[in-house]
Amino acid sequence: MSEDIRPSLGLRPVINVSGTMTSLGASIAVPEAVAAVQKIMPQFVEMNDLQRKAGDIIARLTGAEAGFITASCSSGISLAVAGTITGTDLLAVERLPEVRIAKKEVLVQVGHMVNYGAPVDQAIRLAGATVVPIGQATSTHRFHLENAITENTAAAVYVVSHHVVDYGLLHLSEFVEICHARGVPVIVDAASEYDLRGFLETGADIALYSGHKFLGGPTSGIVAGKKELVRHAYLQNLGIGRGMKVGKESIFGVMAALEAWETRDHEGIRAREAGYLDLWKATLSGRLGVNPVIDPDPTNNPLDRLKVIIDPAEARITAWDLAAALAAGDPPIIVRDHEAEHHYFYLDPCNLHPGQEAIVARRLGEELDKAQRSNAIIATPIEELSRHRFDGLLSWPD
Ligand SMILES: *Cc1c(COP(=O)(O)O)cnc(C)c1O
C-alpha cells in the first residue's frame, strides 16, 4: 500500500468491509489505472478522439458496437435516456430537461425503482423523461409491460442489482423480447455487475457500468451498446451531460482499468477473498449468539460475503449496535449493514489491503467480548436509527 495520507488530512483511517461503497471512495484503484491517470494529466488530448479510443476498448470487452465514458453510471442513465428522447436533434439536446417531444415516457418496473445513493427514477427524470412505473413492488407480469408501451414510449430501463426486488419481476430476456417487439430500446443499469457481456448478449441496447466499482478505475461511468443509441447519448455532452463531465484522467484511467480486467488474476483474487472469509468465520464460530454463514452474491457476481447473524439475547448486542461499535472503533471498520434490522450484517472481502483481514477479526472479537461483559444487552431501539439517519449530513459541514 502506498503512503497513507489520511492521518495528515485529519481523516479516519477506515477499513472497508462493506463492498464497493461510493460513500467511502468506491474501491481500491488498480495500479494500472493510477499509473494511467498520472501519465495523461500533463498532456492535452482531443477529447472526442480519446473517447473513440475508450469506445474501442469498451467494444472489445463488452461486445458492444460502441461506447464512451461519462462521470458515473448514474450520469450514464440520464445520458442514455436523454439520447432516446432527442436523437440527433441538437436543439432538443440544448433544451433538456425541457422536452417538446411527446415521445418521452420511460418504463421501469416498480421493483427496480431503488436508491443507490440517489433514486434511479431521478436519473431518468433529469433527462426530461416521464417515468412510467409498471407492475407492483414484488410483481411485474407481461401484461403490465405490454400495456404500458405506447407511441410515446422512448425507452425502458432495467436495473440489475442487489438493491432490486429479486423475485416476481420480469427476467431481462422477457423484458427485452416485449420491448423489442414494439420498437422500444432497453437500457440496463448494471453498475456493479462483473458480467461485461451478458446483458448486451441478452439483447439490451445499452448497458451501463460504474468504472469505480469492481473495475477499480477512477470515478466514472461506462456506456456501451448500439452505435446509434450510444451516439445519441454522447451528444448530450452538449447539454445536460456538461455537468456530468468526465476528464481525460478518468477516461484514460478507466481504459487502463478495463484492460487490466482482461488480464486480472480473477481466480487468485477469489482464493484470497475465500481465505479472509474462512478467517472471519473461524473467529466467530462458537461465539454465543453469533452465526457466521458464507453467502454468495445475490446477483451472481463471483464473490462471496460472510453473513454475520446475531442473536442479541445471546450475543448481548444487536447487529446494528455491533456494526456501529466497529465503525466507531480504532481503526474504524465499516461493515455492510443495510439489512441490519434483520439481525445480520455482511463482511465483504473485496476491498481489503493485505493484513486488514486480521484487524477485522481482532476487532470483531474485542467488541463481542465487550458485549458479553456488559450488564445490559446493548440494544438501541431500531426506530432510533431511522430517526437519526441524516443528522450528520443535515449539520454538514459542522
Ligand atoms: C452504484 C450504482 C449506481 C450508481 O453508480 P455510480 O457510478 O456511482 O453513479 C447505479 N445503479 C446501481 C444499481 C448501483 O449499484
mmCIF file of all heavy atoms in Angstrom, residues 10 17 76 83-84 87 90 95 99 101 120 141 152 172 190 194 217 222 229 243 250 254-256 260 314 385 395:
data_model
loop_
_atom_site.group_PDB
_atom_site.id
_atom_site.type_symbol
_atom_site.label_atom_id
_atom_site.label_comp_id
_atom_site.label_asym_id
_atom_site.label_seq_id
_atom_site.Cartn_x
_atom_site.Cartn_y
_atom_site.Cartn_z
ATOM 1 N N GLY A 10 -6.312 14.565 8.702
ATOM 2 C CA GLY A 10 -7.280 14.518 9.798
ATOM 3 C C GLY A 10 -8.471 13.636 9.463
ATOM 4 O O GLY A 10 -9.570 13.838 9.978
ATOM 5 N N VAL A 17 -15.069 -3.068 4.901
ATOM 6 C CA VAL A 17 -15.571 -4.424 4.647
ATOM 7 C C VAL A 17 -17.039 -4.359 4.249
ATOM 8 O O VAL A 17 -17.824 -5.266 4.530
ATOM 9 C CB VAL A 17 -15.390 -5.390 5.847
ATOM 10 C CG1 VAL A 17 -14.029 -6.048 5.810
ATOM 11 C CG2 VAL A 17 -15.630 -4.719 7.174
ATOM 12 N N GLY A 76 -24.702 8.002 -16.723
ATOM 13 C CA GLY A 76 -24.973 7.163 -17.888
ATOM 14 C C GLY A 76 -26.466 6.928 -18.085
ATOM 15 O O GLY A 76 -26.964 6.941 -19.214
ATOM 16 N N GLY A 83 -30.725 10.511 -24.771
ATOM 17 C CA GLY A 83 -30.465 10.195 -26.171
ATOM 18 C C GLY A 83 -31.661 9.558 -26.854
ATOM 19 O O GLY A 83 -31.914 9.805 -28.041
ATOM 20 N N THR A 84 -32.413 8.756 -26.116
ATOM 21 C CA THR A 84 -33.585 8.121 -26.733
ATOM 22 C C THR A 84 -34.697 9.144 -26.967
ATOM 23 O O THR A 84 -35.592 8.898 -27.770
ATOM 24 C CB THR A 84 -34.150 6.957 -25.866
ATOM 25 O OG1 THR A 84 -34.655 7.480 -24.629
ATOM 26 C CG2 THR A 84 -33.106 5.887 -25.609
ATOM 27 N N GLY A 87 -32.568 11.966 -29.906
ATOM 28 C CA GLY A 87 -31.900 11.508 -31.119
ATOM 29 C C GLY A 87 -30.788 12.481 -31.465
ATOM 30 O O GLY A 87 -30.021 12.881 -30.573
ATOM 31 N N LEU A 90 -30.090 18.571 -32.063
ATOM 32 C CA LEU A 90 -29.192 19.303 -31.163
ATOM 33 C C LEU A 90 -29.916 20.412 -30.405
ATOM 34 O O LEU A 90 -29.511 20.778 -29.298
ATOM 35 C CB LEU A 90 -28.002 19.867 -31.940
ATOM 36 C CG LEU A 90 -27.076 18.816 -32.566
ATOM 37 C CD1 LEU A 90 -25.891 19.495 -33.268
ATOM 38 C CD2 LEU A 90 -26.563 17.821 -31.534
ATOM 39 N N ARG A 95 -32.166 22.013 -25.051
ATOM 40 C CA ARG A 95 -33.357 22.402 -24.285
ATOM 41 C C ARG A 95 -33.606 21.525 -23.060
ATOM 42 O O ARG A 95 -34.300 21.929 -22.139
ATOM 43 C CB ARG A 95 -34.591 22.315 -25.185
ATOM 44 C CG ARG A 95 -34.731 23.513 -26.098
ATOM 45 C CD ARG A 95 -36.187 23.666 -26.512
ATOM 46 N NE ARG A 95 -36.354 24.869 -27.295
ATOM 47 C CZ ARG A 95 -36.808 24.885 -28.557
ATOM 48 N NH1 ARG A 95 -37.151 23.752 -29.138
ATOM 49 N NH2 ARG A 95 -36.929 26.023 -29.197
ATOM 50 N N VAL A 99 -38.758 19.331 -22.482
ATOM 51 C CA VAL A 99 -38.925 18.496 -23.673
ATOM 52 C C VAL A 99 -40.199 18.891 -24.406
ATOM 53 O O VAL A 99 -41.259 18.975 -23.798
ATOM 54 C CB VAL A 99 -39.017 16.994 -23.288
ATOM 55 C CG1 VAL A 99 -39.004 16.130 -24.533
ATOM 56 C CG2 VAL A 99 -37.881 16.593 -22.365
ATOM 57 N N ILE A 101 -41.075 17.136 -27.033
ATOM 58 C CA ILE A 101 -41.287 15.912 -27.810
ATOM 59 C C ILE A 101 -42.222 15.022 -26.996
ATOM 60 O O ILE A 101 -42.008 14.822 -25.801
ATOM 61 C CB ILE A 101 -39.923 15.205 -28.033
ATOM 62 C CG1 ILE A 101 -38.989 16.127 -28.844
ATOM 63 C CG2 ILE A 101 -40.092 13.845 -28.698
ATOM 64 C CD1 ILE A 101 -37.523 15.729 -28.802
ATOM 65 N N VAL A 120 -33.095 5.875 -8.639
ATOM 66 C CA VAL A 120 -32.978 5.531 -10.066
ATOM 67 C C VAL A 120 -33.887 6.428 -10.903
ATOM 68 O O VAL A 120 -33.474 6.964 -11.936
ATOM 69 C CB VAL A 120 -33.385 4.056 -10.307
ATOM 70 C CG1 VAL A 120 -33.542 3.766 -11.795
ATOM 71 C CG2 VAL A 120 -32.380 3.098 -9.696
ATOM 72 N N HIS A 141 -45.908 -8.517 -14.470
ATOM 73 C CA HIS A 141 -46.268 -9.542 -15.440
ATOM 74 C C HIS A 141 -46.129 -8.985 -16.843
ATOM 75 O O HIS A 141 -46.027 -7.775 -17.026
ATOM 76 C CB HIS A 141 -47.699 -10.025 -15.181
ATOM 77 C CG HIS A 141 -47.873 -10.577 -13.798
ATOM 78 N ND1 HIS A 141 -47.178 -11.687 -13.364
ATOM 79 C CD2 HIS A 141 -48.613 -10.145 -12.752
ATOM 80 C CE1 HIS A 141 -47.507 -11.934 -12.104
ATOM 81 N NE2 HIS A 141 -48.367 -11.012 -11.703
ATOM 82 N N ASN A 152 -45.739 6.948 -27.250
ATOM 83 C CA ASN A 152 -44.924 7.936 -26.524
ATOM 84 C C ASN A 152 -43.804 7.305 -25.684
ATOM 85 O O ASN A 152 -43.136 7.985 -24.919
ATOM 86 C CB ASN A 152 -45.815 8.785 -25.609
ATOM 87 C CG ASN A 152 -46.702 9.716 -26.421
ATOM 88 O OD1 ASN A 152 -46.358 10.080 -27.555
ATOM 89 N ND2 ASN A 152 -47.848 10.081 -25.874
ATOM 90 N N LEU A 172 -34.756 -10.323 -17.665
ATOM 91 C CA LEU A 172 -34.286 -9.410 -18.713
ATOM 92 C C LEU A 172 -34.645 -9.900 -20.120
ATOM 93 O O LEU A 172 -35.052 -9.115 -20.974
ATOM 94 C CB LEU A 172 -32.771 -9.177 -18.592
ATOM 95 C CG LEU A 172 -32.163 -8.274 -19.669
ATOM 96 C CD1 LEU A 172 -32.782 -6.878 -19.655
ATOM 97 C CD2 LEU A 172 -30.645 -8.177 -19.506
ATOM 98 N N ALA A 190 -26.273 -1.770 -15.002
ATOM 99 C CA ALA A 190 -25.537 -2.914 -14.452
ATOM 100 C C ALA A 190 -24.324 -2.409 -13.683
ATOM 101 O O ALA A 190 -23.247 -3.013 -13.728
ATOM 102 C CB ALA A 190 -25.115 -3.850 -15.585
ATOM 103 N N TYR A 194 -20.185 -7.706 -12.569
ATOM 104 C CA TYR A 194 -18.899 -8.097 -13.165
ATOM 105 C C TYR A 194 -19.071 -8.555 -14.620
ATOM 106 O O TYR A 194 -18.105 -8.600 -15.363
ATOM 107 C CB TYR A 194 -18.283 -9.273 -12.398
ATOM 108 C CG TYR A 194 -17.745 -8.988 -11.011
ATOM 109 C CD1 TYR A 194 -18.381 -8.112 -10.151
ATOM 110 C CD2 TYR A 194 -16.590 -9.640 -10.564
ATOM 111 C CE1 TYR A 194 -17.886 -7.881 -8.872
ATOM 112 C CE2 TYR A 194 -16.091 -9.413 -9.292
ATOM 113 C CZ TYR A 194 -16.740 -8.541 -8.441
ATOM 114 O OH TYR A 194 -16.253 -8.330 -7.183
ATOM 115 N N GLY A 217 -11.354 1.438 -11.320
ATOM 116 C CA GLY A 217 -10.914 2.606 -12.086
ATOM 117 C C GLY A 217 -11.218 3.881 -11.332
ATOM 118 O O GLY A 217 -11.750 3.842 -10.217
ATOM 119 N N ILE A 222 -19.507 3.837 -17.590
ATOM 120 C CA ILE A 222 -19.249 3.256 -18.907
ATOM 121 C C ILE A 222 -20.581 3.062 -19.609
ATOM 122 O O ILE A 222 -21.491 2.423 -19.062
ATOM 123 C CB ILE A 222 -18.512 1.911 -18.763
ATOM 124 C CG1 ILE A 222 -17.141 2.150 -18.121
ATOM 125 C CG2 ILE A 222 -18.388 1.205 -20.115
ATOM 126 C CD1 ILE A 222 -16.472 0.883 -17.634
ATOM 127 N N LEU A 229 -27.584 4.573 -30.639
ATOM 128 C CA LEU A 229 -28.052 4.999 -29.313
ATOM 129 C C LEU A 229 -26.910 5.567 -28.476
ATOM 130 O O LEU A 229 -27.087 6.529 -27.726
ATOM 131 C CB LEU A 229 -28.710 3.829 -28.573
ATOM 132 C CG LEU A 229 -30.068 3.381 -29.114
ATOM 133 C CD1 LEU A 229 -30.527 2.122 -28.384
ATOM 134 C CD2 LEU A 229 -31.099 4.487 -28.964
ATOM 135 N N GLY A 243 -22.660 19.027 -17.024
ATOM 136 C CA GLY A 243 -22.482 18.974 -15.574
ATOM 137 C C GLY A 243 -22.064 17.598 -15.081
ATOM 138 O O GLY A 243 -21.842 17.391 -13.886
ATOM 139 N N SER A 250 -9.963 10.499 -16.019
ATOM 140 C CA SER A 250 -10.897 9.404 -15.734
ATOM 141 C C SER A 250 -11.079 8.514 -16.966
ATOM 142 O O SER A 250 -11.192 7.296 -16.837
ATOM 143 C CB SER A 250 -12.251 9.956 -15.296
ATOM 144 O OG SER A 250 -12.118 10.614 -14.064
ATOM 145 N N VAL A 254 -9.890 4.702 -16.697
ATOM 146 C CA VAL A 254 -10.813 3.567 -16.794
ATOM 147 C C VAL A 254 -10.476 2.688 -18.010
ATOM 148 O O VAL A 254 -10.692 1.472 -17.980
ATOM 149 C CB VAL A 254 -12.286 4.035 -16.757
ATOM 150 C CG1 VAL A 254 -12.772 4.499 -18.106
ATOM 151 C CG2 VAL A 254 -13.190 2.919 -16.235
ATOM 152 N N MET A 255 -9.881 3.290 -19.055
ATOM 153 C CA MET A 255 -9.380 2.462 -20.166
ATOM 154 C C MET A 255 -8.347 1.466 -19.626
ATOM 155 O O MET A 255 -8.365 0.272 -19.964
ATOM 156 C CB MET A 255 -8.735 3.349 -21.250
ATOM 157 C CG MET A 255 -9.740 4.129 -22.086
ATOM 158 S SD MET A 255 -8.990 5.495 -23.037
ATOM 159 C CE MET A 255 -8.009 4.598 -24.238
ATOM 160 N N ALA A 256 -7.462 1.972 -18.769
ATOM 161 C CA ALA A 256 -6.438 1.090 -18.182
ATOM 162 C C ALA A 256 -7.074 0.045 -17.265
ATOM 163 O O ALA A 256 -6.647 -1.119 -17.246
ATOM 164 C CB ALA A 256 -5.417 1.929 -17.412
ATOM 165 N N ALA A 260 -6.817 -3.921 -17.619
ATOM 166 C CA ALA A 260 -6.310 -4.721 -16.504
ATOM 167 C C ALA A 260 -7.308 -5.816 -16.130
ATOM 168 O O ALA A 260 -6.921 -6.899 -15.696
ATOM 169 C CB ALA A 260 -6.034 -3.811 -15.298
ATOM 170 N N GLU A 314 -28.332 -13.617 23.116
ATOM 171 C CA GLU A 314 -27.135 -14.378 23.483
ATOM 172 C C GLU A 314 -25.837 -13.613 23.261
ATOM 173 O O GLU A 314 -24.912 -13.700 24.064
ATOM 174 C CB GLU A 314 -27.094 -15.684 22.681
ATOM 175 C CG GLU A 314 -28.141 -16.665 23.130
ATOM 176 C CD GLU A 314 -27.727 -18.103 22.869
ATOM 177 O OE1 GLU A 314 -26.678 -18.316 22.238
ATOM 178 O OE2 GLU A 314 -28.457 -18.997 23.319
ATOM 179 N N LEU A 385 -32.575 4.449 14.815
ATOM 180 C CA LEU A 385 -31.646 4.517 13.684
ATOM 181 C C LEU A 385 -32.233 5.363 12.566
ATOM 182 O O LEU A 385 -31.570 6.232 12.014
ATOM 183 C CB LEU A 385 -31.334 3.118 13.147
ATOM 184 C CG LEU A 385 -30.630 2.145 14.076
ATOM 185 C CD1 LEU A 385 -30.185 0.932 13.286
ATOM 186 C CD2 LEU A 385 -29.445 2.791 14.763
ATOM 187 N N SER A 395 -26.251 18.472 9.326
ATOM 188 C CA SER A 395 -25.471 19.510 10.005
ATOM 189 C C SER A 395 -24.094 19.684 9.319
ATOM 190 O O SER A 395 -23.267 20.440 9.815
ATOM 191 C CB SER A 395 -25.291 19.177 11.482
ATOM 192 O OG SER A 395 -24.568 17.972 11.615
#
